[in-house]
């Protein structure tokens, strides 16, 4: 599957932004999806995930209550709504697709994901 992330930019602290991830090439609705991020000088880490049906979402503790992951299987698109942004949210954000279709266990490590978008930069100014 090919993934294309978009929507990054420069925003002030406290602001909001929505990232999108457009998928093509396989049955999007059969795969769990996720967002990861990599801040300067740090390793890439899990941010949020969503089950293939869209009924289950899960988050890293650092973003709970501020970020919301969703998907529209009819549009082959996943989203990450980000509110109350903080400077520490500054990073390159990557969307990713599960290696296995219809997996029941929800993935949250890089090794679980086999498809990656190119990344989109978010910068939050203080």
């Amino acid at each position: 599957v090919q993934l294309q992330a978009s929507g990054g930019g420069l925003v002030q602290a406290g602001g909001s932004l929505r990232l999108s991830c457009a998928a093509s090439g396989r049955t999007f609705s059969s795969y769990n999806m996720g967002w990861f991020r990599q801040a300067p000088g740090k390793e890439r880490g899990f941010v949020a995930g969503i089950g293939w049906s869209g009924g289950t979402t899960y988050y890293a503790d650092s973003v709970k209550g501020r970020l919301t992951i969703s998907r529209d299987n009819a549009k082959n698109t996943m989203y990450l709504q980000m509110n109350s942004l903080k400077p520490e949210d500054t990073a390159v954000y990557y969307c990713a697709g599960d290696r296995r279709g219809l997996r029941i266990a929800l993935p949250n490590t890089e090794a679980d994901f086999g498809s990656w978008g190119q990344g989109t930069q978010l910068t939050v100014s203080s």
Side-chain angles (χ1 to χ4, degrees), residues 38-126:
Q38 186 169 23
K42 295 186 177 180
E43 293 187 351
R44 188 160 59 182
F46 175 79
V47 174
I50 186 166
W52 46 268
S53 70
T56 303
T57 58
Y58 49 110
Y59 301 89
D61 288 343
S62 60
V63 305
K64 282 181 180 177
R66 299 188 299 116
L67 274 58
T68 303
I69 188 171
S70 62
R71 66 191 295 164
D72 185 338
N73 286 341
K75 295 182 178 180
N76 285 0
T77 303
M78 175 179 63
Y79 305 98
L80 186 66
Q81 177 66 43
M82 302 184 290
N83 299 326
S84 302
L85 284 165
K86 304 175 181 180
E88 50 263 44
D89 294 317
T90 294
V92 177
Y93 284 73
Y94 298 89
C95 58
D98 198 339
R99 290 186 181 278
R100 292 166 45 193
L102 302 177
R103 189 201 303 248
I104 300 302
L106 297 171
N108 64 356
T109 67
E110 286 196 46
D112 292 325
F113 292 85
S115 302
W116 293 85
Q118 84 288 2
T120 185
Q121 174 73 47
L122 169 67
T123 302
V124 183
S125 62
S126 57

